[in-house]
Amino acid sequence: MKWIGLIAVVLTGALLLSAVGDFPDFGDPKSPANGGVGDFSVSQYYITHTEQDTKVPNVVTAVLADYRGYDTMFETTVIFIAGIGIIAILRSHPPGGRRGPAHPIDATVDGDHQRIIIGITCRIMIPIIQIFALYVVAHGHHSPGGGFQGGVMLGASFILIGLSRDLQAALARFSERRFIVLACLGVAIYAGFGLLCLLLERNFLDYGVLDGFFHTDPVMARSHGIFAVEVGVAFTVTAIMFAIYANLSSKGRLDEGL
Amino acid sequence: MIVAFDIIILIFLVITAVISLRVRDLLGATMVLSIYSFLMCLLWAEMGAVDVAFTEAAVGAGVSTVFLIATIYHTRRHSSD
Amino acid sequence: MDLLNQYLIPHFNYWAYVILMMIGMHAMIVKNNLIKKLIGMSIFQTAIILFYVSIGVKEGADIPVLHHHAPEVAESHTPAADPHHAVDPDHYANPLPHVLMLTAIVVGVSTLGMALAISQSIYKDFDTLEENEILAKIKQGGPGIDV
């Protein structure tokens, strides 16, 4: 098995390396993927037209949520399905039947002295992380960031509660019912804005028609539409990241955690 | 794009990839994989792909390491190869 | 030396991606431990993403966030008449591979979570994550397996 594997890998690598010589030079602005010499390619269109079409300076955000909105919508659905699949595989109830959270919501940092430094530090850090995550979601139009990054950071802040105290403390703030509802809500916001455009007799996810809804001109309406679907993406990613952690760290019983 | 920086990071990437697969302690392998992800994030930031680098820093170096540690905690820490 | 200048120097990023991809693929095929296979899968995945990002690099280009002096340009030209001179595409990195790979990374971590969940449920049934031991237990008729 070892030798067969090695031979297969070396053969694949040799095949790919033999093709590397025909690639365009690294960093060449005139390579076919970057637009070629004479003709006008789609990536050049994105760079030159984003400003007038959507008023969003960050081209990546504009392409992600507007020009290629279908792609992102179904990527969000893939994340949602992966989270639901993990819950379906791992989730089980303890034999004694369902029981509520072991500690009440205002349980102070645990009595043991080893954890007091970690507990206090995380208590100070977590609000800052959450504020920064919301900033990343909201400021994705002008700087690197957006729904995916902000959602992962917001989910990570809840994971940090679970790591620094215990899983019950995190679940008291973001219970199982809440994260499943939030994940569904995120996908529903994204698809709902697409459907709203369809109901106003334009194409699916063509936000320009929402100018009456946002009280602006059609160009700014596209910018606001991008923000709306980014919020939907952030909801789903936050909920699913925390759901995956909660199920993996407690073998699906959602009782103790790490 | 700085070519010397690029080459140094690519060499470190190959080294960390090999180490994370050679180490038999799975917790150590996970930590080396986290370093690998962070180097990858530096490389992409240097190539001008700031959004991709941001995502990799949050996801690859942060959250996926936590997922791997959570699984190793509930299974076995030692690997036979 | 001539061969080196022609093949290796202008394409070193592609060489690095092929090497990383071979390392990851070898681990996925040969390694015995399931977690090691998943680490190999992560390396494979980032190698492919490295390839895509390398395609979009332009020599001396800026990050794909447009500068904030566009309103003057929009007033002096009518946008429909002269779209090419408003923004020069060669000054900004290609945004399309970045968009495709950004979503691929986040989808990658949720599939990694899925794989880890399956590993945990395998461990619950077989009490091991080594491939050969799992196969031996399946042959003996392990728990929940109909042979």
Side-chain angles (χ1 to χ4, degrees), chain A residues 106-138:
Chain A
D106 57 351
T108 46
V109 183
D110 314 66
D112 47 348
H113 297 290
Q114 286 91 347
R115 300 184 73 173
I116 198 157
I117 295 176
I118 297 173
I120 297 290
T121 312
C122 290
R123 188 171 275 195
I124 297 169
M125 286 295 292
I126 285 164
I128 299 173
I129 293 174
Q130 288 178 340
I131 292 281
F132 184 63
L134 294 177
Y135 163 78
V136 167
V137 175

Short mmCIF file of all heavy atoms in Angstrom, two decimals, chain A residues 106-138:
data_model
loop_
_atom_site.label_atom_id
_atom_site.label_comp_id
_atom_site.label_asym_id
_atom_site.label_seq_id
_atom_site.Cartn_x
_atom_site.Cartn_y
_atom_site.Cartn_z
N ASP A 106 -25.88 33.56 36.03
CA ASP A 106 -24.97 34.49 36.67
C ASP A 106 -23.91 33.80 37.52
O ASP A 106 -23.39 34.37 38.47
CB ASP A 106 -25.75 35.50 37.51
CG ASP A 106 -26.61 34.79 38.55
OD1 ASP A 106 -26.72 33.55 38.48
OD2 ASP A 106 -27.16 35.46 39.42
N ALA A 107 -23.60 32.54 37.19
CA ALA A 107 -22.56 31.82 37.93
C ALA A 107 -21.24 32.55 37.77
O ALA A 107 -20.82 32.87 36.67
CB ALA A 107 -22.42 30.40 37.39
N THR A 108 -20.59 32.88 38.88
CA THR A 108 -19.33 33.61 38.81
C THR A 108 -18.23 32.68 38.34
O THR A 108 -18.44 31.48 38.15
CB THR A 108 -18.97 34.19 40.18
OG1 THR A 108 -19.16 33.17 41.14
CG2 THR A 108 -19.83 35.38 40.51
N VAL A 109 -17.05 33.25 38.15
CA VAL A 109 -15.90 32.45 37.73
C VAL A 109 -15.70 31.34 38.75
O VAL A 109 -15.81 31.57 39.96
CB VAL A 109 -14.65 33.35 37.67
CG1 VAL A 109 -13.47 32.55 37.16
CG2 VAL A 109 -14.91 34.53 36.79
N ASP A 110 -15.40 30.14 38.24
CA ASP A 110 -15.39 28.96 39.11
C ASP A 110 -14.50 29.15 40.32
O ASP A 110 -13.55 29.91 40.30
CB ASP A 110 -14.89 27.74 38.32
CG ASP A 110 -15.56 27.66 36.99
OD1 ASP A 110 -15.31 28.56 36.18
OD2 ASP A 110 -16.34 26.73 36.76
N GLY A 111 -14.81 28.39 41.35
CA GLY A 111 -14.12 28.56 42.61
C GLY A 111 -12.63 28.24 42.54
O GLY A 111 -11.84 28.80 43.29
N ASP A 112 -12.22 27.34 41.64
CA ASP A 112 -10.83 26.93 41.67
C ASP A 112 -9.93 28.08 41.21
O ASP A 112 -10.21 28.78 40.26
CB ASP A 112 -10.59 25.67 40.84
CG ASP A 112 -11.24 25.74 39.49
OD1 ASP A 112 -12.05 26.66 39.28
OD2 ASP A 112 -10.94 24.90 38.65
N HIS A 113 -8.80 28.22 41.93
CA HIS A 113 -7.98 29.41 41.74
C HIS A 113 -7.17 29.36 40.47
O HIS A 113 -6.70 30.39 40.00
CB HIS A 113 -7.06 29.58 42.95
CG HIS A 113 -7.82 29.80 44.21
ND1 HIS A 113 -8.51 30.97 44.45
CD2 HIS A 113 -8.06 29.00 45.27
CE1 HIS A 113 -9.11 30.88 45.62
NE2 HIS A 113 -8.87 29.68 46.14
N GLN A 114 -6.97 28.16 39.91
CA GLN A 114 -6.16 28.07 38.69
C GLN A 114 -6.82 28.82 37.53
O GLN A 114 -6.16 29.33 36.65
CB GLN A 114 -5.93 26.62 38.27
CG GLN A 114 -4.95 25.87 39.13
CD GLN A 114 -5.65 25.18 40.27
OE1 GLN A 114 -6.81 25.45 40.55
NE2 GLN A 114 -4.94 24.30 40.95
N ARG A 115 -8.13 28.87 37.55
CA ARG A 115 -8.81 29.39 36.37
C ARG A 115 -9.15 30.86 36.52
O ARG A 115 -9.77 31.43 35.64
CB ARG A 115 -10.09 28.59 36.14
CG ARG A 115 -9.78 27.13 35.91
CD ARG A 115 -11.00 26.36 35.59
NE ARG A 115 -11.46 26.67 34.24
CZ ARG A 115 -12.45 26.03 33.66
NH1 ARG A 115 -13.07 25.09 34.30
NH2 ARG A 115 -12.83 26.35 32.44
N ILE A 116 -8.77 31.49 37.62
CA ILE A 116 -9.28 32.84 37.85
C ILE A 116 -8.63 33.84 36.90
O ILE A 116 -9.29 34.75 36.38
CB ILE A 116 -9.12 33.23 39.33
CG1 ILE A 116 -10.03 34.41 39.63
CG2 ILE A 116 -7.70 33.57 39.70
CD1 ILE A 116 -10.37 34.53 41.08
N ILE A 117 -7.32 33.64 36.59
CA ILE A 117 -6.65 34.58 35.68
C ILE A 117 -7.24 34.46 34.29
O ILE A 117 -7.59 35.45 33.64
CB ILE A 117 -5.13 34.30 35.67
CG1 ILE A 117 -4.55 34.61 37.04
CG2 ILE A 117 -4.44 35.14 34.61
CD1 ILE A 117 -3.10 34.28 37.17
N ILE A 118 -7.42 33.19 33.85
CA ILE A 118 -7.99 32.98 32.52
C ILE A 118 -9.39 33.54 32.46
O ILE A 118 -9.78 34.22 31.51
CB ILE A 118 -7.98 31.48 32.19
CG1 ILE A 118 -6.54 30.96 32.14
CG2 ILE A 118 -8.67 31.22 30.87
CD1 ILE A 118 -6.45 29.49 31.98
N GLY A 119 -10.17 33.29 33.53
CA GLY A 119 -11.56 33.73 33.53
C GLY A 119 -11.69 35.24 33.44
O GLY A 119 -12.46 35.76 32.63
N ILE A 120 -10.90 35.96 34.26
CA ILE A 120 -11.00 37.42 34.26
C ILE A 120 -10.50 38.00 32.94
O ILE A 120 -11.12 38.89 32.35
CB ILE A 120 -10.18 38.00 35.44
CG1 ILE A 120 -10.76 37.52 36.77
CG2 ILE A 120 -10.17 39.51 35.39
CD1 ILE A 120 -12.08 38.11 37.12
N THR A 121 -9.37 37.44 32.42
CA THR A 121 -8.83 37.95 31.16
C THR A 121 -9.83 37.78 30.03
O THR A 121 -10.07 38.70 29.24
CB THR A 121 -7.52 37.22 30.81
OG1 THR A 121 -6.70 37.21 31.95
CG2 THR A 121 -6.81 37.90 29.68
N CYS A 122 -10.45 36.60 29.97
CA CYS A 122 -11.40 36.36 28.90
C CYS A 122 -12.64 37.24 29.08
O CYS A 122 -13.22 37.69 28.09
CB CYS A 122 -11.80 34.89 28.85
SG CYS A 122 -10.46 33.87 28.30
N ARG A 123 -13.01 37.49 30.33
CA ARG A 123 -14.18 38.34 30.55
C ARG A 123 -13.93 39.75 30.00
O ARG A 123 -14.84 40.40 29.50
CB ARG A 123 -14.47 38.39 32.04
CG ARG A 123 -15.74 39.08 32.37
CD ARG A 123 -16.08 38.91 33.80
NE ARG A 123 -16.79 37.67 34.04
CZ ARG A 123 -17.45 37.41 35.15
NH1 ARG A 123 -17.47 38.29 36.11
NH2 ARG A 123 -18.08 36.28 35.29
N ILE A 124 -12.67 40.21 30.09
CA ILE A 124 -12.35 41.53 29.52
C ILE A 124 -12.24 41.45 28.00
O ILE A 124 -12.68 42.34 27.28
CB ILE A 124 -11.04 42.07 30.13
CG1 ILE A 124 -11.22 42.27 31.63
CG2 ILE A 124 -10.61 43.38 29.48
CD1 ILE A 124 -9.94 42.53 32.36
N MET A 125 -11.66 40.33 27.51
CA MET A 125 -11.36 40.23 26.07
C MET A 125 -12.61 40.02 25.22
O MET A 125 -12.71 40.54 24.11
CB MET A 125 -10.40 39.05 25.81
CG MET A 125 -8.99 39.29 26.22
SD MET A 125 -8.25 40.59 25.27
CE MET A 125 -8.17 39.82 23.66
N ILE A 126 -13.56 39.24 25.73
CA ILE A 126 -14.67 38.80 24.87
C ILE A 126 -15.50 39.96 24.33
O ILE A 126 -15.79 39.98 23.13
CB ILE A 126 -15.52 37.75 25.62
CG1 ILE A 126 -14.76 36.43 25.64
CG2 ILE A 126 -16.86 37.54 24.96
CD1 ILE A 126 -15.26 35.44 26.64
N PRO A 127 -15.89 40.98 25.15
CA PRO A 127 -16.64 42.09 24.56
C PRO A 127 -15.85 42.82 23.47
O PRO A 127 -16.43 43.23 22.45
CB PRO A 127 -16.90 43.02 25.74
CG PRO A 127 -16.73 42.19 26.93
CD PRO A 127 -15.75 41.15 26.60
N ILE A 128 -14.52 42.94 23.67
CA ILE A 128 -13.71 43.63 22.66
C ILE A 128 -13.72 42.83 21.36
O ILE A 128 -13.86 43.38 20.26
CB ILE A 128 -12.27 43.83 23.19
CG1 ILE A 128 -12.32 44.69 24.45
CG2 ILE A 128 -11.40 44.48 22.15
CD1 ILE A 128 -11.01 44.82 25.15
N ILE A 129 -13.58 41.49 21.48
CA ILE A 129 -13.59 40.64 20.29
C ILE A 129 -14.93 40.78 19.57
O ILE A 129 -14.99 40.89 18.34
CB ILE A 129 -13.33 39.17 20.67
CG1 ILE A 129 -11.91 39.01 21.19
CG2 ILE A 129 -13.54 38.26 19.48
CD1 ILE A 129 -11.63 37.63 21.71
N GLN A 130 -16.03 40.81 20.35
CA GLN A 130 -17.35 40.88 19.71
C GLN A 130 -17.57 42.22 19.01
O GLN A 130 -18.10 42.26 17.90
CB GLN A 130 -18.43 40.63 20.75
CG GLN A 130 -18.46 39.18 21.17
CD GLN A 130 -19.47 38.90 22.24
OE1 GLN A 130 -19.91 39.79 22.94
NE2 GLN A 130 -19.84 37.63 22.36
N ILE A 131 -17.12 43.31 19.66
CA ILE A 131 -17.25 44.63 19.02
C ILE A 131 -16.43 44.65 17.73
O ILE A 131 -16.88 45.13 16.68
CB ILE A 131 -16.76 45.74 19.97
CG1 ILE A 131 -17.69 45.87 21.14
CG2 ILE A 131 -16.63 47.05 19.24
CD1 ILE A 131 -18.94 46.63 20.88
N PHE A 132 -15.20 44.10 17.78
CA PHE A 132 -14.36 44.10 16.59
C PHE A 132 -14.99 43.24 15.50
O PHE A 132 -14.92 43.59 14.31
CB PHE A 132 -12.96 43.60 16.93
CG PHE A 132 -12.02 43.66 15.77
CD1 PHE A 132 -11.68 44.86 15.20
CD2 PHE A 132 -11.48 42.50 15.23
CE1 PHE A 132 -10.83 44.92 14.12
CE2 PHE A 132 -10.63 42.56 14.16
CZ PHE A 132 -10.30 43.77 13.59
N ALA A 133 -15.63 42.12 15.88
CA ALA A 133 -16.26 41.27 14.87
C ALA A 133 -17.40 42.01 14.18
O ALA A 133 -17.54 41.95 12.96
CB ALA A 133 -16.78 39.99 15.53
N LEU A 134 -18.19 42.76 14.96
CA LEU A 134 -19.28 43.53 14.35
C LEU A 134 -18.72 44.62 13.43
O LEU A 134 -19.27 44.90 12.37
CB LEU A 134 -20.16 44.16 15.44
CG LEU A 134 -20.93 43.16 16.28
CD1 LEU A 134 -21.71 43.88 17.35
CD2 LEU A 134 -21.87 42.35 15.43
N TYR A 135 -17.59 45.23 13.85
CA TYR A 135 -16.93 46.23 12.99
C TYR A 135 -16.49 45.59 11.68
O TYR A 135 -16.65 46.17 10.60
CB TYR A 135 -15.74 46.81 13.74
CG TYR A 135 -14.75 47.54 12.88
CD1 TYR A 135 -14.99 48.83 12.44
CD2 TYR A 135 -13.56 46.93 12.51
CE1 TYR A 135 -14.09 49.49 11.65
CE2 TYR A 135 -12.65 47.58 11.73
CZ TYR A 135 -12.92 48.86 11.30
OH TYR A 135 -12.02 49.50 10.50
N VAL A 136 -15.93 44.36 11.76
CA VAL A 136 -15.47 43.69 10.54
C VAL A 136 -16.63 43.43 9.60
O VAL A 136 -16.53 43.62 8.39
CB VAL A 136 -14.73 42.38 10.91
CG1 VAL A 136 -14.52 41.52 9.70
CG2 VAL A 136 -13.40 42.70 11.53
N VAL A 137 -17.79 43.02 10.16
CA VAL A 137 -18.96 42.78 9.30
C VAL A 137 -19.41 44.09 8.66
O VAL A 137 -19.67 44.15 7.46
CB VAL A 137 -20.11 42.17 10.12
CG1 VAL A 137 -21.35 42.03 9.27
CG2 VAL A 137 -19.73 40.83 10.67
N ALA A 138 -19.48 45.16 9.46
CA ALA A 138 -20.06 46.40 8.96
C ALA A 138 -19.10 47.16 8.06
O ALA A 138 -19.54 47.91 7.18
CB ALA A 138 -20.47 47.28 10.14
#
